[in-house]
PDB file of all heavy atoms in Angstrom:
ATOM      1  N   SER A  22     -22.362  -5.995  -7.842  1.00 87.00           N
ATOM      2  CA  SER A  22     -22.048  -6.972  -8.922  1.00 87.00           C
ATOM      3  C   SER A  22     -20.910  -6.535  -9.704  1.00 87.00           C
ATOM      4  O   SER A  22     -20.369  -7.401 -10.470  1.00 87.00           O
ATOM      5  CB  SER A  22     -23.371  -7.038  -9.835  1.00 87.00           C
ATOM      6  OG  SER A  22     -23.632  -5.981 -10.596  1.00 87.00           O
ATOM      7  N   GLY A  23     -20.503  -5.298  -9.600  1.00 90.00           N
ATOM      8  CA  GLY A  23     -19.342  -4.866 -10.531  1.00 90.00           C
ATOM      9  C   GLY A  23     -19.832  -4.405 -11.860  1.00 90.00           C
ATOM     10  O   GLY A  23     -19.071  -3.828 -12.687  1.00 90.00           O
ATOM     11  N   GLY A  24     -21.186  -4.466 -12.090  1.00 92.00           N
ATOM     12  CA  GLY A  24     -21.667  -4.090 -13.457  1.00 92.00           C
ATOM     13  C   GLY A  24     -21.807  -2.581 -13.706  1.00 92.00           C
ATOM     14  O   GLY A  24     -21.890  -2.166 -14.737  1.00 92.00           O
ATOM     15  N   THR A  25     -21.822  -1.766 -12.597  1.00 96.00           N
ATOM     16  CA  THR A  25     -21.941  -0.378 -12.682  1.00 96.00           C
ATOM     17  C   THR A  25     -20.726   0.290 -12.007  1.00 96.00           C
ATOM     18  O   THR A  25     -20.370   0.037 -10.889  1.00 96.00           O
ATOM     19  CB  THR A  25     -23.223   0.186 -12.060  1.00 96.00           C
ATOM     20  OG1 THR A  25     -24.295  -0.478 -12.767  1.00 96.00           O
ATOM     21  CG2 THR A  25     -23.407   1.686 -12.243  1.00 96.00           C
ATOM     22  N   THR A  26     -20.073   1.245 -12.673  1.00 97.00           N
ATOM     23  CA  THR A  26     -18.999   1.963 -12.120  1.00 97.00           C
ATOM     24  C   THR A  26     -19.144   3.419 -12.282  1.00 97.00           C
ATOM     25  O   THR A  26     -19.867   3.816 -13.298  1.00 97.00           O
ATOM     26  CB  THR A  26     -17.546   1.523 -12.723  1.00 97.00           C
ATOM     27  OG1 THR A  26     -17.591   1.725 -14.004  1.00 97.00           O
ATOM     28  CG2 THR A  26     -17.262   0.065 -12.335  1.00 97.00           C
ATOM     29  N   ASN A  27     -18.544   4.218 -11.515  1.00 97.00           N
ATOM     30  CA  ASN A  27     -18.675   5.706 -11.660  1.00 97.00           C
ATOM     31  C   ASN A  27     -17.373   6.227 -11.246  1.00 97.00           C
ATOM     32  O   ASN A  27     -16.705   5.873 -10.309  1.00 97.00           O
ATOM     33  CB  ASN A  27     -19.776   6.176 -10.585  1.00 97.00           C
ATOM     34  CG  ASN A  27     -19.960   7.586 -10.820  1.00 97.00           C
ATOM     35  OD1 ASN A  27     -19.882   8.190 -11.836  1.00 97.00           O
ATOM     36  ND2 ASN A  27     -20.528   8.245  -9.645  1.00 97.00           N
ATOM     37  N   TYR A  28     -16.838   7.364 -11.946  1.00 98.00           N
ATOM     38  CA  TYR A  28     -15.578   7.969 -11.665  1.00 98.00           C
ATOM     39  C   TYR A  28     -15.743   9.514 -11.721  1.00 98.00           C
ATOM     40  O   TYR A  28     -16.548  10.119 -12.415  1.00 98.00           O
ATOM     41  CB  TYR A  28     -14.577   7.578 -12.815  1.00 98.00           C
ATOM     42  CG  TYR A  28     -14.278   6.103 -12.930  1.00 98.00           C
ATOM     43  CD1 TYR A  28     -15.001   5.346 -13.785  1.00 98.00           C
ATOM     44  CD2 TYR A  28     -13.230   5.488 -12.032  1.00 98.00           C
ATOM     45  CE1 TYR A  28     -14.653   4.061 -13.786  1.00 98.00           C
ATOM     46  CE2 TYR A  28     -12.932   4.247 -12.151  1.00 98.00           C
ATOM     47  CZ  TYR A  28     -13.686   3.474 -13.057  1.00 98.00           C
ATOM     48  OH  TYR A  28     -13.398   2.119 -13.156  1.00 98.00           O
ATOM     49  N   ALA A  29     -14.973  10.134 -10.871  1.00 98.00           N
ATOM     50  CA  ALA A  29     -14.828  11.537 -10.916  1.00 98.00           C
ATOM     51  C   ALA A  29     -14.122  11.974 -12.099  1.00 98.00           C
ATOM     52  O   ALA A  29     -13.325  11.214 -12.691  1.00 98.00           O
ATOM     53  CB  ALA A  29     -14.067  12.009  -9.766  1.00 98.00           C
ATOM     54  N   ASP A  30     -14.433  13.096 -12.714  1.00 98.00           N
ATOM     55  CA  ASP A  30     -13.906  13.452 -14.082  1.00 98.00           C
ATOM     56  C   ASP A  30     -12.372  13.590 -14.000  1.00 98.00           C
ATOM     57  O   ASP A  30     -11.689  13.424 -14.927  1.00 98.00           O
ATOM     58  CB  ASP A  30     -14.553  14.912 -14.413  1.00 98.00           C
ATOM     59  CG  ASP A  30     -15.926  14.724 -14.924  1.00 98.00           C
ATOM     60  OD1 ASP A  30     -16.313  13.672 -15.138  1.00 98.00           O
ATOM     61  OD2 ASP A  30     -16.587  15.826 -14.742  1.00 98.00           O
ATOM     62  N   SER A  31     -11.888  14.073 -12.761  1.00 98.00           N
ATOM     63  CA  SER A  31     -10.494  14.242 -12.447  1.00 98.00           C
ATOM     64  C   SER A  31      -9.592  12.856 -12.710  1.00 98.00           C
ATOM     65  O   SER A  31      -8.508  13.082 -13.000  1.00 98.00           O
ATOM     66  CB  SER A  31     -10.137  14.885 -11.147  1.00 98.00           C
ATOM     67  OG  SER A  31     -10.639  14.024 -10.130  1.00 98.00           O
ATOM     68  N   VAL A  32     -10.305  11.688 -12.507  1.00 98.00           N
ATOM     69  CA  VAL A  32      -9.508  10.466 -12.504  1.00 98.00           C
ATOM     70  C   VAL A  32     -10.024   9.552 -13.691  1.00 98.00           C
ATOM     71  O   VAL A  32      -9.403   8.507 -13.972  1.00 98.00           O
ATOM     72  CB  VAL A  32      -9.569   9.764 -11.260  1.00 98.00           C
ATOM     73  CG1 VAL A  32      -9.184  10.618 -10.104  1.00 98.00           C
ATOM     74  CG2 VAL A  32     -10.983   9.187 -11.038  1.00 98.00           C
ATOM     75  N   LYS A  33     -11.021   9.993 -14.427  1.00 98.00           N
ATOM     76  CA  LYS A  33     -11.611   9.189 -15.529  1.00 98.00           C
ATOM     77  C   LYS A  33     -10.446   8.983 -16.493  1.00 98.00           C
ATOM     78  O   LYS A  33      -9.825   9.819 -17.056  1.00 98.00           O
ATOM     79  CB  LYS A  33     -12.886   9.786 -16.045  1.00 98.00           C
ATOM     80  CG  LYS A  33     -13.612   8.961 -17.077  1.00 98.00           C
ATOM     81  CD  LYS A  33     -14.900   9.550 -17.373  1.00 98.00           C
ATOM     82  CE  LYS A  33     -15.884   9.728 -16.133  1.00 98.00           C
ATOM     83  NZ  LYS A  33     -17.160  10.307 -16.484  1.00 98.00           N
ATOM     84  N   GLY A  34     -10.297   7.662 -16.947  1.00 98.00           N
ATOM     85  CA  GLY A  34      -9.381   7.313 -17.924  1.00 98.00           C
ATOM     86  C   GLY A  34      -8.040   6.822 -17.327  1.00 98.00           C
ATOM     87  O   GLY A  34      -7.090   6.346 -18.116  1.00 98.00           O
ATOM     88  N   ARG A  35      -7.852   7.283 -16.082  1.00 98.00           N
ATOM     89  CA  ARG A  35      -6.498   6.922 -15.394  1.00 98.00           C
ATOM     90  C   ARG A  35      -6.760   5.857 -14.269  1.00 98.00           C
ATOM     91  O   ARG A  35      -5.889   5.008 -14.054  1.00 98.00           O
ATOM     92  CB  ARG A  35      -5.875   8.204 -14.883  1.00 98.00           C
ATOM     93  CG  ARG A  35      -5.644   9.338 -15.814  1.00 98.00           C
ATOM     94  CD  ARG A  35      -4.828  10.452 -15.256  1.00 98.00           C
ATOM     95  NE  ARG A  35      -5.475  11.110 -14.206  1.00 98.00           N
ATOM     96  CZ  ARG A  35      -5.232  11.128 -12.952  1.00 98.00           C
ATOM     97  NH1 ARG A  35      -3.976  10.625 -12.558  1.00 98.00           N
ATOM     98  NH2 ARG A  35      -5.923  11.841 -12.033  1.00 98.00           N
ATOM     99  N   PHE A  36      -7.797   5.878 -13.596  1.00 98.00           N
ATOM    100  CA  PHE A  36      -8.138   5.029 -12.447  1.00 98.00           C
ATOM    101  C   PHE A  36      -9.117   3.941 -12.892  1.00 98.00           C
ATOM    102  O   PHE A  36     -10.029   4.367 -13.733  1.00 98.00           O
ATOM    103  CB  PHE A  36      -8.647   5.875 -11.339  1.00 98.00           C
ATOM    104  CG  PHE A  36      -7.580   6.693 -10.542  1.00 98.00           C
ATOM    105  CD1 PHE A  36      -6.369   7.010 -11.200  1.00 98.00           C
ATOM    106  CD2 PHE A  36      -7.962   7.245  -9.411  1.00 98.00           C
ATOM    107  CE1 PHE A  36      -5.439   7.866 -10.551  1.00 98.00           C
ATOM    108  CE2 PHE A  36      -7.085   8.095  -8.749  1.00 98.00           C
ATOM    109  CZ  PHE A  36      -5.824   8.369  -9.330  1.00 98.00           C
ATOM    110  N   THR A  37      -8.937   2.849 -12.292  1.00 98.00           N
ATOM    111  CA  THR A  37     -10.013   1.799 -12.591  1.00 98.00           C
ATOM    112  C   THR A  37     -10.429   1.088 -11.271  1.00 98.00           C
ATOM    113  O   THR A  37      -9.455   0.563 -10.554  1.00 98.00           O
ATOM    114  CB  THR A  37      -9.454   0.717 -13.519  1.00 98.00           C
ATOM    115  OG1 THR A  37      -9.123   1.291 -14.840  1.00 98.00           O
ATOM    116  CG2 THR A  37     -10.521  -0.424 -13.827  1.00 98.00           C
ATOM    117  N   ILE A  38     -11.713   1.091 -10.937  1.00 98.00           N
ATOM    118  CA  ILE A  38     -12.073   0.372  -9.755  1.00 98.00           C
ATOM    119  C   ILE A  38     -12.692  -1.031 -10.097  1.00 98.00           C
ATOM    120  O   ILE A  38     -13.335  -1.194 -11.182  1.00 98.00           O
ATOM    121  CB  ILE A  38     -13.252   1.316  -9.076  1.00 98.00           C
ATOM    122  CG1 ILE A  38     -13.621   0.677  -7.703  1.00 98.00           C
ATOM    123  CG2 ILE A  38     -14.506   1.420 -10.015  1.00 98.00           C
ATOM    124  CD1 ILE A  38     -14.502   1.530  -6.887  1.00 98.00           C
ATOM    125  N   SER A  39     -12.426  -2.022  -9.337  1.00 96.00           N
ATOM    126  CA  SER A  39     -12.852  -3.303  -9.513  1.00 96.00           C
ATOM    127  C   SER A  39     -13.174  -3.958  -8.180  1.00 96.00           C
ATOM    128  O   SER A  39     -12.727  -3.417  -7.056  1.00 96.00           O
ATOM    129  CB  SER A  39     -11.884  -4.045 -10.375  1.00 96.00           C
ATOM    130  OG  SER A  39     -10.652  -4.176  -9.688  1.00 96.00           O
ATOM    131  N   ARG A  40     -13.731  -5.056  -8.143  1.00 93.00           N
ATOM    132  CA  ARG A  40     -13.935  -5.835  -6.909  1.00 93.00           C
ATOM    133  C   ARG A  40     -13.838  -7.305  -7.232  1.00 93.00           C
ATOM    134  O   ARG A  40     -14.272  -7.799  -8.302  1.00 93.00           O
ATOM    135  CB  ARG A  40     -15.251  -5.452  -6.271  1.00 93.00           C
ATOM    136  CG  ARG A  40     -16.515  -5.818  -7.080  1.00 93.00           C
ATOM    137  CD  ARG A  40     -17.836  -4.958  -6.370  1.00 93.00           C
ATOM    138  NE  ARG A  40     -18.006  -5.374  -4.996  1.00 93.00           N
ATOM    139  CZ  ARG A  40     -18.756  -4.762  -4.207  1.00 93.00           C
ATOM    140  NH1 ARG A  40     -19.459  -3.678  -4.656  1.00 93.00           N
ATOM    141  NH2 ARG A  40     -18.922  -5.118  -2.999  1.00 93.00           N
ATOM    142  N   ASP A  41     -13.615  -8.096  -6.175  1.00 90.00           N
ATOM    143  CA  ASP A  41     -13.691  -9.590  -6.125  1.00 90.00           C
ATOM    144  C   ASP A  41     -14.345  -9.982  -4.907  1.00 90.00           C
ATOM    145  O   ASP A  41     -13.780  -9.958  -3.783  1.00 90.00           O
ATOM    146  CB  ASP A  41     -12.193 -10.082  -6.168  1.00 90.00           C
ATOM    147  CG  ASP A  41     -12.065 -11.573  -6.254  1.00 90.00           C
ATOM    148  OD1 ASP A  41     -13.148 -12.242  -5.969  1.00 90.00           O
ATOM    149  OD2 ASP A  41     -11.019 -12.131  -6.673  1.00 90.00           O
ATOM    150  N   ASN A  42     -15.658 -10.210  -5.087  1.00 84.00           N
ATOM    151  CA  ASN A  42     -16.550 -10.499  -3.943  1.00 84.00           C
ATOM    152  C   ASN A  42     -16.097 -11.825  -3.266  1.00 84.00           C
ATOM    153  O   ASN A  42     -16.217 -12.021  -2.053  1.00 84.00           O
ATOM    154  CB  ASN A  42     -17.968 -10.593  -4.416  1.00 84.00           C
ATOM    155  CG  ASN A  42     -18.542  -9.309  -4.716  1.00 84.00           C
ATOM    156  OD1 ASN A  42     -17.974  -8.226  -4.385  1.00 84.00           O
ATOM    157  ND2 ASN A  42     -19.760  -9.188  -5.416  1.00 84.00           N
ATOM    158  N   ALA A  43     -15.566 -12.767  -4.039  1.00 85.00           N
ATOM    159  CA  ALA A  43     -15.035 -13.998  -3.393  1.00 85.00           C
ATOM    160  C   ALA A  43     -13.904 -13.729  -2.348  1.00 85.00           C
ATOM    161  O   ALA A  43     -13.779 -14.524  -1.410  1.00 85.00           O
ATOM    162  CB  ALA A  43     -14.644 -14.958  -4.478  1.00 85.00           C
ATOM    163  N   LYS A  44     -13.223 -12.622  -2.624  1.00 88.00           N
ATOM    164  CA  LYS A  44     -12.147 -12.407  -1.736  1.00 88.00           C
ATOM    165  C   LYS A  44     -12.552 -11.162  -0.631  1.00 88.00           C
ATOM    166  O   LYS A  44     -11.696 -10.725   0.002  1.00 88.00           O
ATOM    167  CB  LYS A  44     -10.838 -11.920  -2.517  1.00 88.00           C
ATOM    168  CG  LYS A  44     -10.226 -13.056  -3.323  1.00 88.00           C
ATOM    169  CD  LYS A  44      -8.958 -12.506  -4.007  1.00 88.00           C
ATOM    170  CE  LYS A  44      -8.330 -13.621  -4.823  1.00 88.00           C
ATOM    171  NZ  LYS A  44      -7.173 -13.207  -5.568  1.00 88.00           N
ATOM    172  N   ASN A  45     -13.799 -10.602  -0.910  1.00 88.00           N
ATOM    173  CA  ASN A  45     -14.305  -9.510  -0.076  1.00 88.00           C
ATOM    174  C   ASN A  45     -13.245  -8.340  -0.189  1.00 88.00           C
ATOM    175  O   ASN A  45     -12.916  -7.679   0.797  1.00 88.00           O
ATOM    176  CB  ASN A  45     -14.369  -9.932   1.403  1.00 88.00           C
ATOM    177  CG  ASN A  45     -15.417 -11.074   1.645  1.00 88.00           C
ATOM    178  OD1 ASN A  45     -16.518 -10.933   0.906  1.00 88.00           O
ATOM    179  ND2 ASN A  45     -15.163 -11.952   2.411  1.00 88.00           N
ATOM    180  N   THR A  46     -12.809  -8.062  -1.500  1.00 92.00           N
ATOM    181  CA  THR A  46     -11.894  -7.066  -1.653  1.00 92.00           C
ATOM    182  C   THR A  46     -12.268  -6.177  -2.819  1.00 92.00           C
ATOM    183  O   THR A  46     -12.758  -6.544  -3.822  1.00 92.00           O
ATOM    184  CB  THR A  46     -10.519  -7.648  -1.880  1.00 92.00           C
ATOM    185  OG1 THR A  46     -10.117  -8.470  -0.717  1.00 92.00           O
ATOM    186  CG2 THR A  46      -9.436  -6.555  -2.112  1.00 92.00           C
ATOM    187  N   VAL A  47     -11.997  -4.858  -2.547  1.00 94.00           N
ATOM    188  CA  VAL A  47     -12.129  -3.798  -3.725  1.00 94.00           C
ATOM    189  C   VAL A  47     -10.854  -3.229  -4.069  1.00 94.00           C
ATOM    190  O   VAL A  47      -9.987  -3.077  -3.194  1.00 94.00           O
ATOM    191  CB  VAL A  47     -13.220  -2.792  -3.315  1.00 94.00           C
ATOM    192  CG1 VAL A  47     -13.321  -1.761  -4.303  1.00 94.00           C
ATOM    193  CG2 VAL A  47     -14.538  -3.336  -2.855  1.00 94.00           C
ATOM    194  N   TYR A  48     -10.651  -2.981  -5.263  1.00 97.00           N
ATOM    195  CA  TYR A  48      -9.282  -2.343  -5.756  1.00 97.00           C
ATOM    196  C   TYR A  48      -9.660  -1.073  -6.423  1.00 97.00           C
ATOM    197  O   TYR A  48     -10.532  -0.844  -7.095  1.00 97.00           O
ATOM    198  CB  TYR A  48      -8.732  -3.424  -6.731  1.00 97.00           C
ATOM    199  CG  TYR A  48      -8.476  -4.786  -6.237  1.00 97.00           C
ATOM    200  CD1 TYR A  48      -9.456  -5.826  -6.504  1.00 97.00           C
ATOM    201  CD2 TYR A  48      -7.457  -5.132  -5.404  1.00 97.00           C
ATOM    202  CE1 TYR A  48      -9.292  -7.069  -6.051  1.00 97.00           C
ATOM    203  CE2 TYR A  48      -7.311  -6.458  -4.892  1.00 97.00           C
ATOM    204  CZ  TYR A  48      -8.199  -7.372  -5.263  1.00 97.00           C
ATOM    205  OH  TYR A  48      -8.088  -8.632  -4.647  1.00 97.00           O
ATOM    206  N   LEU A  49      -8.495  -0.336  -6.371  1.00 98.00           N
ATOM    207  CA  LEU A  49      -8.359   0.924  -7.203  1.00 98.00           C
ATOM    208  C   LEU A  49      -7.080   0.976  -7.842  1.00 98.00           C
ATOM    209  O   LEU A  49      -6.058   1.220  -7.244  1.00 98.00           O
ATOM    210  CB  LEU A  49      -8.466   2.165  -6.253  1.00 98.00           C
ATOM    211  CG  LEU A  49      -8.624   3.508  -7.010  1.00 98.00           C
ATOM    212  CD1 LEU A  49      -9.797   3.554  -8.035  1.00 98.00           C
ATOM    213  CD2 LEU A  49      -8.515   4.603  -6.128  1.00 98.00           C
ATOM    214  N   GLN A  50      -7.032   0.639  -9.158  1.00 98.00           N
ATOM    215  CA  GLN A  50      -5.816   0.726  -9.911  1.00 98.00           C
ATOM    216  C   GLN A  50      -5.632   2.231 -10.423  1.00 98.00           C
ATOM    217  O   GLN A  50      -6.485   2.758 -11.128  1.00 98.00           O
ATOM    218  CB  GLN A  50      -5.888  -0.182 -11.228  1.00 98.00           C
ATOM    219  CG  GLN A  50      -4.724  -0.144 -12.106  1.00 98.00           C
ATOM    220  CD  GLN A  50      -3.425  -0.756 -11.465  1.00 98.00           C
ATOM    221  OE1 GLN A  50      -3.430  -1.655 -10.750  1.00 98.00           O
ATOM    222  NE2 GLN A  50      -2.360   0.042 -11.701  1.00 98.00           N
ATOM    223  N   MET A  51      -4.518   2.827 -10.068  1.00 98.00           N
ATOM    224  CA  MET A  51      -4.164   4.230 -10.396  1.00 98.00           C
ATOM    225  C   MET A  51      -3.045   4.276 -11.339  1.00 98.00           C
ATOM    226  O   MET A  51      -1.910   3.887 -10.886  1.00 98.00           O
ATOM    227  CB  MET A  51      -3.942   4.887  -9.125  1.00 98.00           C
ATOM    228  CG  MET A  51      -5.058   4.787  -8.064  1.00 98.00           C
ATOM    229  SD  MET A  51      -4.832   5.882  -6.648  1.00 98.00           S
ATOM    230  CE  MET A  51      -3.397   5.121  -5.967  1.00 98.00           C
ATOM    231  N   ASP A  52      -3.263   4.762 -12.511  1.00 98.00           N
ATOM    232  CA  ASP A  52      -2.119   4.825 -13.551  1.00 98.00           C
ATOM    233  C   ASP A  52      -1.999   6.378 -13.853  1.00 98.00           C
ATOM    234  O   ASP A  52      -2.934   7.203 -13.636  1.00 98.00           O
ATOM    235  CB  ASP A  52      -2.578   4.010 -14.801  1.00 98.00           C
ATOM    236  CG  ASP A  52      -2.693   2.665 -14.603  1.00 98.00           C
ATOM    237  OD1 ASP A  52      -1.803   2.018 -13.790  1.00 98.00           O
ATOM    238  OD2 ASP A  52      -3.565   1.939 -15.183  1.00 98.00           O
ATOM    239  N   SER A  53      -0.941   6.683 -14.511  1.00 98.00           N
ATOM    240  CA  SER A  53      -0.491   8.087 -14.878  1.00 98.00           C
ATOM    241  C   SER A  53      -0.851   8.996 -13.690  1.00 98.00           C
ATOM    242  O   SER A  53      -1.454  10.055 -13.871  1.00 98.00           O
ATOM    243  CB  SER A  53      -1.404   8.412 -16.036  1.00 98.00           C
ATOM    244  OG  SER A  53      -1.222   7.515 -17.146  1.00 98.00           O
ATOM    245  N   LEU A  54      -0.355   8.720 -12.602  1.00 98.00           N
ATOM    246  CA  LEU A  54      -0.478   9.524 -11.376  1.00 98.00           C
ATOM    247  C   LEU A  54       0.138  10.834 -11.542  1.00 98.00           C
ATOM    248  O   LEU A  54       1.200  10.978 -12.054  1.00 98.00           O
ATOM    249  CB  LEU A  54       0.046   8.735 -10.144  1.00 98.00           C
ATOM    250  CG  LEU A  54      -0.828   7.643  -9.560  1.00 98.00           C
ATOM    251  CD1 LEU A  54      -0.029   6.637  -8.745  1.00 98.00           C
ATOM    252  CD2 LEU A  54      -2.061   8.191  -8.932  1.00 98.00           C
ATOM    253  N   LYS A  55      -0.489  11.845 -10.892  1.00 98.00           N
ATOM    254  CA  LYS A  55      -0.080  13.319 -10.896  1.00 98.00           C
ATOM    255  C   LYS A  55       0.133  13.744  -9.541  1.00 98.00           C
ATOM    256  O   LYS A  55      -0.426  13.130  -8.556  1.00 98.00           O
ATOM    257  CB  LYS A  55      -0.975  14.102 -11.670  1.00 98.00           C
ATOM    258  CG  LYS A  55      -1.477  13.605 -13.051  1.00 98.00           C
ATOM    259  CD  LYS A  55      -2.623  14.499 -13.578  1.00 98.00           C
ATOM    260  CE  LYS A  55      -3.035  13.988 -14.976  1.00 98.00           C
ATOM    261  NZ  LYS A  55      -4.221  14.883 -15.385  1.00 98.00           N
ATOM    262  N   PRO A  56       0.891  14.741  -9.344  1.00 98.00           N
ATOM    263  CA  PRO A  56       1.129  15.345  -7.940  1.00 98.00           C
ATOM    264  C   PRO A  56      -0.401  15.677  -7.377  1.00 98.00           C
ATOM    265  O   PRO A  56      -0.447  15.526  -6.151  1.00 98.00           O
ATOM    266  CB  PRO A  56       1.813  16.383  -8.172  1.00 98.00           C
ATOM    267  CG  PRO A  56       2.826  16.053  -9.384  1.00 98.00           C
ATOM    268  CD  PRO A  56       1.953  15.343 -10.197  1.00 98.00           C
ATOM    269  N   GLU A  57      -1.170  16.016  -8.190  1.00 97.00           N
ATOM    270  CA  GLU A  57      -2.549  16.475  -7.649  1.00 97.00           C
ATOM    271  C   GLU A  57      -3.315  15.305  -7.123  1.00 97.00           C
ATOM    272  O   GLU A  57      -4.283  15.524  -6.489  1.00 97.00           O
ATOM    273  CB  GLU A  57      -3.334  17.089  -8.963  1.00 97.00           C
ATOM    274  CG  GLU A  57      -2.693  18.232  -9.600  1.00 97.00           C
ATOM    275  CD  GLU A  57      -1.871  17.772 -10.839  1.00 97.00           C
ATOM    276  OE1 GLU A  57      -2.464  17.578 -11.917  1.00 97.00           O
ATOM    277  OE2 GLU A  57      -0.713  17.473 -10.705  1.00 97.00           O
ATOM    278  N   ASP A  58      -2.927  14.018  -7.359  1.00 98.00           N
ATOM    279  CA  ASP A  58      -3.499  12.946  -6.788  1.00 98.00           C
ATOM    280  C   ASP A  58      -3.025  12.627  -5.342  1.00 98.00           C
ATOM    281  O   ASP A  58      -3.684  11.745  -4.782  1.00 98.00           O
ATOM    282  CB  ASP A  58      -3.284  11.641  -7.652  1.00 98.00           C
ATOM    283  CG  ASP A  58      -3.823  11.812  -9.110  1.00 98.00           C
ATOM    284  OD1 ASP A  58      -4.917  12.283  -9.174  1.00 98.00           O
ATOM    285  OD2 ASP A  58      -3.093  11.463 -10.055  1.00 98.00           O
ATOM    286  N   THR A  59      -2.183  13.335  -4.890  1.00 98.00           N
ATOM    287  CA  THR A  59      -1.632  13.145  -3.548  1.00 98.00           C
ATOM    288  C   THR A  59      -2.733  13.406  -2.582  1.00 98.00           C
ATOM    289  O   THR A  59      -3.233  14.478  -2.537  1.00 98.00           O
ATOM    290  CB  THR A  59      -0.392  14.140  -3.280  1.00 98.00           C
ATOM    291  OG1 THR A  59       0.617  13.773  -4.085  1.00 98.00           O
ATOM    292  CG2 THR A  59      -0.086  14.123  -1.742  1.00 98.00           C
ATOM    293  N   ALA A  60      -3.023  12.452  -1.633  1.00 98.00           N
ATOM    294  CA  ALA A  60      -4.104  12.555  -0.678  1.00 98.00           C
ATOM    295  C   ALA A  60      -4.168  11.286   0.082  1.00 98.00           C
ATOM    296  O   ALA A  60      -3.417  10.280  -0.227  1.00 98.00           O
ATOM    297  CB  ALA A  60      -5.388  12.703  -1.469  1.00 98.00           C
ATOM    298  N   VAL A  61      -4.876  11.361   1.181  1.00 98.00           N
ATOM    299  CA  VAL A  61      -5.297  10.078   1.882  1.00 98.00           C
ATOM    300  C   VAL A  61      -6.463   9.519   1.245  1.00 98.00           C
ATOM    301  O   VAL A  61      -7.499  10.258   0.934  1.00 98.00           O
ATOM    302  CB  VAL A  61      -5.548  10.418   3.340  1.00 98.00           C
ATOM    303  CG1 VAL A  61      -6.012   9.138   4.102  1.00 98.00           C
ATOM    304  CG2 VAL A  61      -4.358  10.956   4.011  1.00 98.00           C
ATOM    305  N   TYR A  62      -6.373   8.191   0.808  1.00 98.00           N
ATOM    306  CA  TYR A  62      -7.506   7.576   0.109  1.00 98.00           C
ATOM    307  C   TYR A  62      -8.226   6.698   1.097  1.00 98.00           C
ATOM    308  O   TYR A  62      -7.662   5.835   1.796  1.00 98.00           O
ATOM    309  CB  TYR A  62      -6.809   6.726  -1.019  1.00 98.00           C
ATOM    310  CG  TYR A  62      -6.514   7.616  -2.234  1.00 98.00           C
ATOM    311  CD1 TYR A  62      -5.490   8.481  -2.182  1.00 98.00           C
ATOM    312  CD2 TYR A  62      -7.291   7.526  -3.374  1.00 98.00           C
ATOM    313  CE1 TYR A  62      -5.054   9.259  -3.248  1.00 98.00           C
ATOM    314  CE2 TYR A  62      -6.954   8.328  -4.461  1.00 98.00           C
ATOM    315  CZ  TYR A  62      -5.885   9.180  -4.427  1.00 98.00           C
ATOM    316  OH  TYR A  62      -5.539  10.011  -5.533  1.00 98.00           O
ATOM    317  N   TYR A  63      -9.563   6.826   1.028  1.00 98.00           N
ATOM    318  CA  TYR A  63     -10.467   6.143   1.933  1.00 98.00           C
ATOM    319  C   TYR A  63     -11.382   5.120   1.091  1.00 98.00           C
ATOM    320  O   TYR A  63     -11.871   5.598   0.095  1.00 98.00           O
ATOM    321  CB  TYR A  63     -11.329   7.016   2.775  1.00 98.00           C
ATOM    322  CG  TYR A  63     -10.657   8.026   3.667  1.00 98.00           C
ATOM    323  CD1 TYR A  63     -10.257   9.232   3.148  1.00 98.00           C
ATOM    324  CD2 TYR A  63     -10.373   7.680   4.979  1.00 98.00           C
ATOM    325  CE1 TYR A  63      -9.469  10.147   3.986  1.00 98.00           C
ATOM    326  CE2 TYR A  63      -9.699   8.479   5.810  1.00 98.00           C
ATOM    327  CZ  TYR A  63      -9.291   9.848   5.266  1.00 98.00           C
ATOM    328  OH  TYR A  63      -8.611  10.555   6.118  1.00 98.00           O
ATOM    329  N   CYS A  64     -11.686   4.015   1.700  1.00 96.00           N
ATOM    330  CA  CYS A  64     -12.575   3.075   1.138  1.00 96.00           C
ATOM    331  C   CYS A  64     -13.827   3.068   1.986  1.00 96.00           C
ATOM    332  O   CYS A  64     -13.825   3.398   3.121  1.00 96.00           O
ATOM    333  CB  CYS A  64     -11.930   1.727   1.236  1.00 96.00           C
ATOM    334  SG  CYS A  64     -13.117   0.285   0.633  1.00 96.00           S
ATOM    335  N   ALA A  65     -14.952   3.082   1.284  1.00 96.00           N
ATOM    336  CA  ALA A  65     -16.295   3.176   1.932  1.00 96.00           C
ATOM    337  C   ALA A  65     -17.312   2.177   1.405  1.00 96.00           C
ATOM    338  O   ALA A  65     -17.213   1.767   0.204  1.00 96.00           O
ATOM    339  CB  ALA A  65     -16.913   4.707   1.734  1.00 96.00           C
TER     340      ALA A  65
END
């Protein structure tokens, strides 16, 4: 439903997860990115 979200402490306040079920799509908005965020990101 999008009513409950959960974040790792390392990204809390910088990343925002959201979803649009009508589009069958989930998003991850990433702001204030740091070199430590470099990685392969997987959706599950």
Side-chain angles (χ1 to χ4, degrees):
S22 68
T25 303
T26 58
N27 184 29
Y28 297 93
D30 289 340
S31 60
V32 306
K33 192 171 297 183
R35 299 189 297 120
F36 291 9
T37 303
I38 188 171
S39 62
R40 67 191 299 167
D41 185 340
N42 289 345
K44 296 181 179 179
N45 297 319
T46 303
V47 181
Y48 305 95
L49 184 67
Q50 177 66 44
M51 305 184 293
D52 298 319
S53 301
L54 283 162
K55 307 173 182 179
E57 308 91 85
D58 296 316
T59 295
V61 176
Y62 283 71
Y63 298 89
C64 180

